Amino acid sequence: MARFTLPRDLYHGKGALEALKTLDGKRAMICVGGGSMKKFGFLDRAVSYLKEAGMEVELFEGIEPDPSVETVMRGAEAMQKFEPDWIIAMGGGSPIDAAKAMWIKYEYPETTFEDMCKVFGLPRLRTKARFCAISSTSGTATEVTAFSIITDYSKGIKYPIADFEITPDMAIVDPDLAETMPKKLVAHTGMDAMTHAVEAYVSTANCDFTDPLALHAISMIQSDLVASYNGDMEKRDRMHNAQCLAGMAFSNALLGIVHSMAHKTGAAFDDYGAHIIHGAANAMYLPKVIAFNAKDETAKKRYGVIADSMGLGGKDDDEKVARLIQYLRGMNDDLNIPHCIGKYGADSYPAEKGFVPEEVFLERLPEIAKNAIADACTGSNPRQPSVEEMEKLLKCCYYDTEVDF
């Protein structure tokens, strides 16, 4: 038996933020990030709509990109004092992911972060509050997923929390919010969405309910992402829907080792003054992982279907896989994303010499590979790598060398 879970209600289209007026409750806590929602007036509108619904509203502001365990604990403490019956998470993936983890700790104060990370092992939520997610970026789709990513900076590791209990009760997908994204964020979140859709389609947990969502998302991203990056707001609006469809697919079909590797490299070199941004990491690693996974015949056939759906041509599955890899690398070029860690600049743009020194990468490689193998996303990858293969794959992602194993 399999399960397919999405939010109970999804409000979409311009002006969908007004759906907050329909909520029924006494107190709502809004969790937000660094200020863009306030700057563009969306936070004030959300507060106004909730007050119109008769609620007392409190803000938890300043959730950082790649939120920390410490931020989660502070937010949960604020919730325990205010006692909201609605948690409203608003912004990009970071505030929504952080609020999901806060929700767990709020409902079960004795829960440790280690408890939260037990895959599909959470107790039943909604004993105190329900959850509404409002996305402002077009990539993570955390507004419709059963996942949250929290960073333990003491270990330099991002941990995925995975459980259908943290799938939001309500999602608001209003493209007005996405139109405020800076160009670099459009690129990174867009390739995150592409990776979600591709990994969901070849995952070992794919099914008839997830495949159409994944393929249609891929088609939309192919059509709309680069134009959205170049300022076409109609395409930007469509990308907001595309990333949500990709999220619906991967939340139920799960992901693969592109995400395992991105989770375990993102914060691994923080002490060198920069972060490998999640969407950029996915964009760099996806072509390499496709080449690795395509050694599995079932995965190769499914990559061939993706290539066919994109109209890439190819006389057989091997050629289709090669064309898919070539196409994705071309998208990275169009979006000013590097092809490998060795060329990844501290500003995330391609550089002659990246911010991660070769000797540091090689020194930390065994631990990163071991952690990537243990990541929650590895289990549904179509080809299970050994630690040795993971090390070799990560080297290919550092040097941009061919995957021939």
Side-chain angles (χ1 to χ4, degrees):
M1 181 177 72
R3 179 174 173 177
F4 185 88
T5 300
L6 296 174
R8 168 68 178 79
D9 293 299
L10 191 153
Y11 294 88
H12 59 95
K14 285 182 172 292
L17 190 62
E18 283 196 43
L20 291 173
K21 294 179 182 179
T22 69
L23 296 189
D24 182 23
K26 295 179 180 178
R27 286 180 296 278
M29 177 170 279
I30 302 179
C31 301
V32 292
S36 64
M37 292 297 93
K38 180 181 285 187
K39 175 183 174 183
F40 293 106
F42 295 115
L43 180 58
D44 286 344
R45 281 169 55 188
V47 171
S48 175
Y49 293 148
L50 289 166
K51 287 183 176 178
E52 196 172 327
M55 291 200 209
E56 183 183 350
V57 181
E58 186 167 297
L59 304 181
F60 185 85
E61 300 182 80
I63 297 171
E64 73 274 33
D66 302 297
S68 66
V69 177
E70 291 75 18
T71 295
V72 168
M73 298 307 165
R74 284 193 299 104
E77 185 179 351
M79 289 176 186
Q80 284 156 19
K81 289 177 182 174
F82 183 61
E83 298 185 335
D85 45 22
W86 273 100
I87 297 166
I88 314 293
M90 187 176 191
S94 294
I96 299 175
D97 280 2
K100 286 179 175 179
M102 293 170 190
W103 184 25
I104 301 166
K105 183 74 173 175
Y106 168 50
E107 299 230 352
Y108 294 94
E110 71 284 358
T111 300
T112 65
F113 181 65
E114 289 70 25
D115 292 333
M116 294 183 196
C117 294
K118 293 171 184 172
V119 179
F120 293 97
L122 292 179
R124 187 173 295 277
L125 297 183
R126 297 163 182 82
T127 62
K128 295 180 181 178
R130 285 177 289 170
F131 194 99
C132 172
I134 307 165
S135 56
S136 67
T137 61
S138 301
T140 68
T142 189
E143 73 274 6
V144 293
T145 74
F147 296 92
S148 164
I149 308 298
I150 304 299
T151 303
D152 185 336
Y153 285 95
S154 68
K155 297 178 181 177
I157 296 176
K158 293 183 178 184
Y159 288 95
I161 301 171
D163 199 292
F164 287 120
E165 284 298 316
I166 59 170
T167 304
D169 297 281
M170 176 177 171
I172 295 177
V173 183
D174 187 332
D176 285 341
L177 280 68
E179 290 183 3
T180 65
M181 282 193 294
K183 199 169 183 179
K184 188 188 331 188
L185 192 58
V186 172
H188 294 162
T189 57
M191 288 307 292
D192 191 18
M194 178 64 95
T195 306
H196 291 156
V198 171
E199 288 210 291
Y201 191 74
V202 300
S203 159
T204 57
N206 72 76
C207 68
D208 290 340
F209 296 93
T210 59
D211 283 353
L213 293 166
L215 287 177
H216 190 56
I218 290 167
S219 176
M220 291 180 73
I221 295 165
Q222 178 188 17
S223 167
D224 300 332
L225 175 54
V226 174
S228 169
Y229 174 76
N230 289 321
D232 184 327
M233 288 302 158
E234 187 175 331
K235 299 288 191 179
R236 182 81 52 89
D237 293 353
R238 280 175 50 83
M239 271 301 301
H240 209 43
N241 289 344
Q243 64 87 29
C244 188
L245 295 174
M248 292 178 186
F250 92 77
S251 186
N252 292 280
L254 308 179
L255 291 165
I257 58 173
V258 178
H259 273 77
S260 303
M261 294 156 65
H263 292 155
K264 292 345 184 199
T265 53
F269 309 102
D270 249 21
D271 52 334
Y272 280 80
H275 209 85
I276 302 178
I277 296 170
H278 180 71
N282 283 339
M284 293 189 296
Y285 307 162
L286 179 59
K288 305 301 184 190
V289 170
I290 290 173
F292 175 80
N293 284 342
K295 304 293 190 293
D296 174 270
E297 285 300 316
T298 300
K300 181 163 70 173
K301 285 185 173 62
R302 292 186 76 80
Y303 287 129
V305 173
I306 290 173
D308 287 342
S309 76
M310 296 173 73
L312 302 183
K315 65 180 185 297
D316 56 26
D317 285 332
D318 287 319
E319 189 173 328
K320 290 173 185 178
V321 169
R323 291 192 181 193
L324 176 59
I325 290 170
Q326 182 183 22
Y327 188 91
L328 292 169
R329 287 176 64 89
M331 285 188 76
N332 287 348
D333 288 334
D334 290 340
L335 299 168
N336 208 18
I337 296 173
H339 289 299
C340 63
I341 299 170
K343 302 288 187 184
Y344 184 93
D347 58 2
S348 85
Y349 292 125
E352 189 57 39
K353 188 173 183 181
F355 85 93
V356 181
E358 180 183 24
E359 65 275 12
V360 174
F361 172 79
L362 293 173
E363 178 189 340
R364 299 181 186 182
L365 177 61
E367 187 69 15
I368 292 169
K370 185 180 74 174
N371 290 334
I373 292 287
D375 189 88
C377 294
T378 299
S380 48
N381 195 69
R383 183 182 171 198
Q384 288 299 301
S386 64
V387 176
E388 181 185 6
E389 287 170 332
M390 180 60 78
E391 286 193 25
K392 289 170 70 175
L393 189 53
L394 283 161
K395 281 185 178 179
C396 291
C397 292
Y398 185 88
Y399 297 109
D400 192 19
T401 48
E402 186 179 350
V403 178
D404 57 1
F405 53 93

